[in-house]
Amino acid sequence: MAHIERRRIRQPDGSGRVRVVTRYRVRYRDESGRQHCETKMRLVDAERRKAEIEVALAGGTWRDPRRGVMRLHEWAELWLPTRHDLRPTTWARLETTMQKQVLPRFGNAPLRAITNGGIRQWVSDLLSSGLSAATTRKAVFALRQCLDAAIADNRLQFNSAIAVPLPTERQKPPRYLSQSEVERLVDEMPPRYCALVLVGAYAGLRWGEAAGLRRRDIDPLRSRIRITSTAVELRGRVTLDNEPKTTRSKRSVPVARSVMRRLELHLSEFVEPTSVPSGGPLFRVWGRRVLRPAVLRAGLDGITFHGLRHSFVAIMVAAGCNVREVSEWAGHNSVAFTLTRYGGLFEDNADAAIDRLDALLGGLSDARESR
């Protein structure tokens, strides 16, 4: 149980004289028997704190207030290495966000001193500095995760990064290439890299999936491409055999036989069994040094490698594939995501629905007229 001690303290008043003030110390022991004390200026505050401590100790919700004194940068150094649940690239992005946006503002602040109002002002300052809505949102999410971990470690009771208004991230509508535009881009590519455009536009592979392809992943007999791993570039080093982005990213993608024949020609002409250039650095600059010039020569400014993946979805829909097939072959996390992102490409069958409604309502009208 907690108890209150009344203490009289002598303090100089600044004029050379000493005055006596009364302070109230709340003393108690935690579950492990360790003694704690907190000092209040007023008796009513001490009594209120004593009641709070007793309720928290009885209910098992008490937290040592001294654990919240740790500064955010110290806690981040302990927390980041424990994020074993993240892919290496995701972990690297989280670390970069913490270093560039979060820690410069809150790094020296004690955990318990980070307030909701302070975070709201920080968000406003980030946006005013020209930071995009997407990057600002990621910064808040990073801080929120960091504080969630502090709560789990009994350093905080509440997460002050929750209920913070966030800017709306305006998503640009995807741009699709037609088959003729894809072929125009292929014609402008160096022969060695044409296959990357083919697997992007006609198989919907992500960049890491395409760059990490091996010969064994190409199945000419069944006209399939198997996605079992990805290439990842992290701090200048390219590694293969990394887990795909999601569980559904592991998949077998059917490829048009005409496209597969072109991929077979590529395999026979170029010795390297993978699309990843030897040496690694080209992996980082391929888009700027290879794809970008070809895009400009083809008159398709604005198209990135991910734009080829958008084009794959449009081509599949044009070929009559249903949403489940498109979602599965593109490796989307869910059919709901496919509909949200590409729903406008699918026929809504509204005309057929109108015809059915007319048939139904017309029949009802005929029945009423006959009466």
Side-chain angles (χ1 to χ4, degrees):
M1 296 292 290
H3 65 279
I4 299 173
E5 293 180 352
R6 182 177 178 180
R7 298 174 59 87
R8 298 178 66 84
I9 302 173
R10 297 168 61 87
Q11 291 183 343
D13 62 3
S15 62
R17 291 179 296 181
V18 176
R19 65 187 182 123
V20 178
V21 297
T22 302
R23 295 290 181 264
Y24 302 91
R25 178 174 291 180
V26 183
R27 303 181 68 92
Y28 59 98
R29 293 183 182 274
D30 61 23
E31 297 93 333
S32 64
R34 183 178 180 180
Q35 184 169 284
H36 302 266
C37 64
E38 301 179 24
T39 301
K40 303 295 181 181
M41 296 180 64
R42 300 188 307 166
L43 178 59
V44 64
D45 295 330
E47 291 175 338
R48 182 183 299 112
R49 181 58 182 154
K50 174 179 178 292
E52 291 173 350
I53 291 169
E54 291 176 343
V55 170
L57 287 171
T61 60
W62 178 85
R63 289 175 174 80
D64 187 347
R66 289 175 294 188
R67 291 178 63 79
V69 175
M70 176 180 279
R71 300 187 184 277
L72 182 67
H73 75 88
E74 297 172 330
W75 173 243
E77 290 175 3
L78 297 175
W79 166 65
L80 277 170
T82 66
R83 292 304 306 270
H84 310 299
D85 55 317
L86 302 178
R87 301 172 70 236
T89 50
T90 306
W91 189 94
R93 285 194 295 269
L94 177 61
E95 182 189 37
T96 299
T97 298
M98 292 293 295
Q99 293 294 335
K100 288 188 174 182
Q101 278 89 44
V102 179
L103 295 182
R105 183 61 166 261
F106 298 109
N108 288 323
L111 291 171
R112 67 184 186 185
I114 300 174
T115 64
N116 184 271
I119 297 173
R120 287 170 179 253
Q121 184 59 52
W122 170 57
V123 170
S124 297
D125 293 343
L126 290 178
L127 294 172
S128 299
S129 69
L131 204 66
S132 69
T135 304
T136 300
R137 291 171 64 91
K138 289 176 183 176
V140 176
F141 293 153
L143 177 58
R144 187 178 296 172
Q145 293 175 48
C146 186
L147 297 182
D148 271 341
I151 292 173
D153 199 48
N154 284 327
R155 296 184 182 275
L156 291 175
Q157 187 172 2
F158 303 107
N159 190 331
S160 53
I162 292 177
V164 174
L166 298 178
T168 301
E169 183 179 353
R170 295 183 179 179
Q171 195 172 56
K172 294 181 180 179
R175 181 183 174 188
Y176 311 107
L177 294 183
S178 64
Q179 182 181 352
S180 61
E181 289 175 322
V182 172
E183 294 302 327
R184 197 161 78 225
L185 178 58
V186 171
D187 291 340
E188 297 296 340
M189 291 290 293
R192 183 180 191 81
Y193 299 113
C194 290
L196 280 171
V197 176
L198 294 178
V199 297
Y202 295 137
L205 271 61
R206 301 177 176 91
W207 165 246
E209 296 169 348
L213 278 180
R214 308 285 185 89
R215 283 182 180 268
R216 63 173 181 261
D217 299 321
I218 310 296
D219 185 353
L221 293 179
R222 299 179 62 243
S223 200
R224 300 283 196 280
I225 294 178
R226 290 186 294 271
I227 310 301
T228 58
S229 62
T230 65
V232 171
E233 187 274 330
L234 192 60
R235 296 187 175 89
R237 180 169 174 264
V238 179
T239 60
L240 301 176
D241 297 324
N242 300 281
E243 283 294 311
K245 185 175 181 180
T246 66
T247 302
R248 282 172 58 93
S249 295
K250 281 189 176 183
R251 62 197 188 278
S252 178
V253 184
V255 179
R257 293 183 178 85
S258 58
V259 174
M260 182 57 71
R261 286 193 291 269
R262 296 163 73 179
L263 293 178
E264 285 187 276
L265 289 175
H266 171 85
L267 292 175
S268 63
E269 185 174 355
F270 299 101
V271 178
E272 292 185 57
T274 175
S275 301
V276 177
S278 60
L282 185 58
F283 184 92
R284 302 197 303 274
V285 298
W286 182 87
R288 184 173 73 250
R289 293 186 180 178
V290 181
L291 180 62
R292 173 71 174 162
V295 165
L296 293 177
R297 289 192 297 269
L300 301 170
D301 192 19
I303 282 294
T304 62
F305 190 86
H306 200 73
L308 300 178
R309 181 168 160 81
H310 292 320
S311 303
F312 161 77
V313 173
I315 291 171
M316 291 295 100
V317 173
C321 299
N322 61 47
V323 64
R324 184 196 61 79
E325 294 169 330
V326 172
S327 180
E328 179 182 343
W329 296 336
H332 290 157
N333 196 41
S334 66
V335 172
F337 172 84
T338 307
L339 284 172
T340 300
R341 192 79 170 101
Y342 302 102
L345 294 175
F346 294 91
E347 290 289 341
D348 60 6
N349 295 320
D351 292 337
I354 291 174
D355 291 338
R356 291 194 298 271
L357 287 170
D358 274 338
L360 172 63
L361 299 179
L364 292 176
S365 298
D366 292 343
R368 292 185 65 180
E369 290 176 1
S370 65
R371 286 186 297 182

